[in-house]
Amino acid sequence: MTSAARTALGPAGRLGPAVARPTRTARLLATVARHRAGLLAGLLFAVLAGWLTHGLWPAPGQRVLALNPADQTLYEWFLAVDSRALLGDFGLLTDRLNAPDGVNLLANTTVIALGVLLAPVTFAFGAPVTFALLAAGNLAGTAVAWYLLFTRTLRAHPLAAGLGAALCGFGPAMVSQSNAHLHMTAQWLVPVLVWLVVRMLRAADPAGRTGGPDRRRVAASAVGLATAVTAQLFIGEEVLLLTGVTLLVMAPAYGLADRARLRRALPAFGGGLILAAGLAGFVLAYPIWYQFAGPQAVSGALFDPHHYAADLTSWVTFSPLSVLGGDASRLTTGPAEFNTFLGWPLLLVTVGCAGWLGRRPVAVACTAAAVVMGALSLGPEVLVSGVRSGLPAPYAPLVGLPVLDNALPTRFGLAVLPLAGTILTLAVDRALAGRGRARRLVPLAVGVGLLSVFPAPLPTTPRPALPEFVTAGHWRQCVRPGGVLVPVPAASPTDPWPMRWATAANAAFGIPEGFFIGPYGNDGAASVGTYQRPTSALLTEVASRGVPAAIGAEQRRQAARDIRFWGASCVALTDDAPHAEPLRRTLEALFGPGTRVADAWTWRF
């Protein structure tokens, strides 16, 4: 009797029964069981992100964020332009907007890395789908990244890590910035940056090692940190700035709280930071030069720091985008800047947890950084309940400094979210590891504080349909790919909707003027948009008033000059334009009879 079954050697070399290997399914189930807490947290974060952004689904191309549709239009155009890297048709200066001068993409918040990464999605389904995926994915991804940092680096209890990560990913500031500010909500690399700094610090500490600091691990962490910094710059430079300032405050605070480690680790740790800065500086030298000194670069402050400053009262006020929120328009500049609305329950709980944690170095560093970043969010002058107090705030000395002069003070409040989330995580973890009343009271208090800022879904509204001239590709009869098409009226910062034509065509053609940051202020200072050409201004006035313009020889000569300046191949007026009939009559007076193409009148040059 024979068998093909394998046997194993038993004691004394005797053949024993075969040892069954676990099946692939069994191994998968064991892995799921081992990581069930993390998988559950990730699932809950994904569900919450989907629920908050569900107004954009199931048809993102038919819905738009109600509170900030203009910025959504801009970001969808960014995604369309970024996706052209897949075709090899991409540069840091794009001629697909503001023709013929173009737009410096690095001087704008273009989320280049995300646009290139998701280019296949944009080409297959359109930029609105990519936008909706990023709006939800940034929230969930940020929360997951902080959860992993808390559980694996701080070794926190899964419940503690889940509560802290929920605040980091879905706190009031994150939900507010989700109103079309993709560059501000893409924070899932921030925990990676923090982890690499912590990893470097631990490797630089020779305590417990006979051979001194682990220099190989320090060097590897430095290389990883330089890589992450480079990636984050092309995702969201402002987030990188906030992270750098926060860590700059935390480092000395941590060192003062743990002076023994500071003395032991500082030489190797400092060397690692210098190496990381050198590597990142070498890679980013050209992009940074291009941003600040390249074609269409901007200089000087674009936004008034007094205007974009947080009201002191906002810290104890519920965000209007939370379930418990009310009207707080007088305390902020707009619905995308509720950066400091923690609400008094969560603020009290966070302060209480920080005090309860005492002199633990991580808690001290987070508390110090939260105080500094919160103070900087107040801008140059303290504002209380919408009234200027006349008292100078800590941001005042920073006004006019290079790089920082373009930062919005209120956004420094964004950094408080992960700092508060870390404090809450440490407090709950300590409570769960101990005994007594704190084991129940601390998690309960933190839970109540988080529930007080529980977000409501982002408001959305129907998106106006695009003309058939664009969606069916009829524009190709009017302008060659890569050429310039002039929508009537032209896109502007206050009316950017014609940019959706180019977005729907994946930026296959350029358009003049538009909504962007460029050097068109006084003496080349930063501005939003550019000045209108005379013909563009004339057509905008007709679209506003509904009365055909009086056209003479001078207007025709100017129109010809403007067409040559733009390098335009085609002017198009669609039926859905405001006051389309007066505009058509004006255009015929300027350029002669038009050609009907689908639902548009066109003039080719």
Side-chain angles (χ1 to χ4, degrees), residues 177-575:
Q177 292 291 331
S178 292
N179 283 294
H181 290 170
L182 297 181
H183 69 300
M184 298 304 301
T185 59
Q187 296 185 23
W188 30 268
L189 265 185
V190 174
V192 177
L193 292 167
V194 175
W195 169 68
L196 288 166
V197 171
V198 173
R199 185 175 186 262
M200 185 189 300
L201 176 62
R202 291 175 176 175
D205 188 352
R209 296 190 182 93
T210 56
D214 188 343
R215 300 191 183 278
R216 179 176 296 180
R217 185 175 286 262
V218 169
S221 299
V223 173
L225 184 60
T227 303
V229 165
T230 301
Q232 183 61 52
L233 184 133
F234 288 101
I235 294 173
E237 193 173 7
E238 195 167 352
V239 168
L240 180 62
L241 173 66
L242 294 177
T243 304
V245 174
T246 302
L247 291 175
L248 193 64
V249 176
M250 291 183 70
Y254 184 93
L256 291 175
D258 191 351
R259 298 182 183 182
R261 170 172 278 191
L262 174 65
R263 288 191 294 269
R264 295 193 307 265
L266 184 58
F269 181 66
L273 289 180
I274 292 173
L275 175 60
L279 292 172
F282 176 77
V283 175
L284 295 175
Y286 177 73
I288 291 175
W289 172 86
Y290 201 96
Q291 176 182 354
F292 292 102
Q296 294 297 102
V298 300
S299 61
L302 177 61
F303 303 106
D304 182 3
H306 292 85
H307 180 67
Y308 288 94
D311 193 298
L312 185 62
T313 314
S314 66
W315 285 101
V316 296
T317 304
F318 293 116
S319 169
L321 297 179
S322 65
V323 172
L324 298 180
D327 180 27
S329 56
R330 62 187 177 86
L331 301 180
T332 184
T333 58
E337 301 295 345
F338 298 139
N339 302 313
T340 54
F341 288 69
L342 286 187
W344 62 266
L346 181 58
L347 191 62
L348 283 178
V349 169
T350 304
V351 171
C353 287
W356 184 60
L357 289 170
R359 296 180 59 83
R360 182 170 176 175
V362 176
V364 170
C366 287
T367 302
V371 171
V372 171
M373 299 302 280
L376 289 175
S377 74
L378 300 178
E381 181 183 356
V382 177
L383 190 68
V384 182
S385 298
V387 179
R388 299 192 182 278
S389 67
L391 298 175
Y395 187 87
L398 305 181
V399 175
L401 290 181
V403 180
L404 288 176
D405 62 354
N406 273 322
L408 275 62
T410 178
R411 291 185 181 173
F412 281 88
L414 270 165
V416 176
L417 270 189
L419 295 168
T422 304
I423 291 171
L424 298 182
T425 297
L426 294 173
V428 174
D429 181 65
R430 176 186 172 186
L432 293 177
R435 295 181 180 179
R437 290 186 299 176
R439 182 178 176 84
R440 292 184 177 85
L441 290 179
V442 172
L444 178 62
V446 170
V448 170
L450 293 177
L451 284 175
S452 71
V453 295
F454 193 82
L458 296 173
T460 59
T461 190
R463 182 195 297 248
L466 285 167
E468 181 187 353
F469 173 75
V470 174
T471 58
H474 295 297
W475 60 268
R476 291 184 178 88
Q477 301 178 33
C478 185
V479 58
R480 61 176 176 78
V484 176
L485 186 153
V486 181
V488 178
S492 67
T494 56
D495 186 13
W497 319 124
M499 291 170 60
R500 295 171 56 219
W501 292 17
T503 299
N506 285 323
F509 56 78
I511 61 175
E513 302 174 10
F515 180 23
F516 61 96
I517 296 174
Y520 296 101
N522 295 329
D523 298 322
S527 66
V528 178
T530 182
Y531 52 84
Q532 287 187 308
R533 299 289 295 185
T535 303
S536 178
L538 181 148
L539 294 172
T540 299
E541 184 177 1
V542 174
S544 174
R545 298 176 56 195
V547 178
I551 302 299
E554 177 55 34
Q555 285 77 19
R556 294 188 187 93
R557 285 193 294 268
Q558 182 61 56
R561 286 194 291 268
D562 290 341
I563 291 295
R564 287 194 299 271
F565 173 80
W566 291 323
S569 301
C570 177
V571 171
L573 169 69
T574 55
D575 293 345

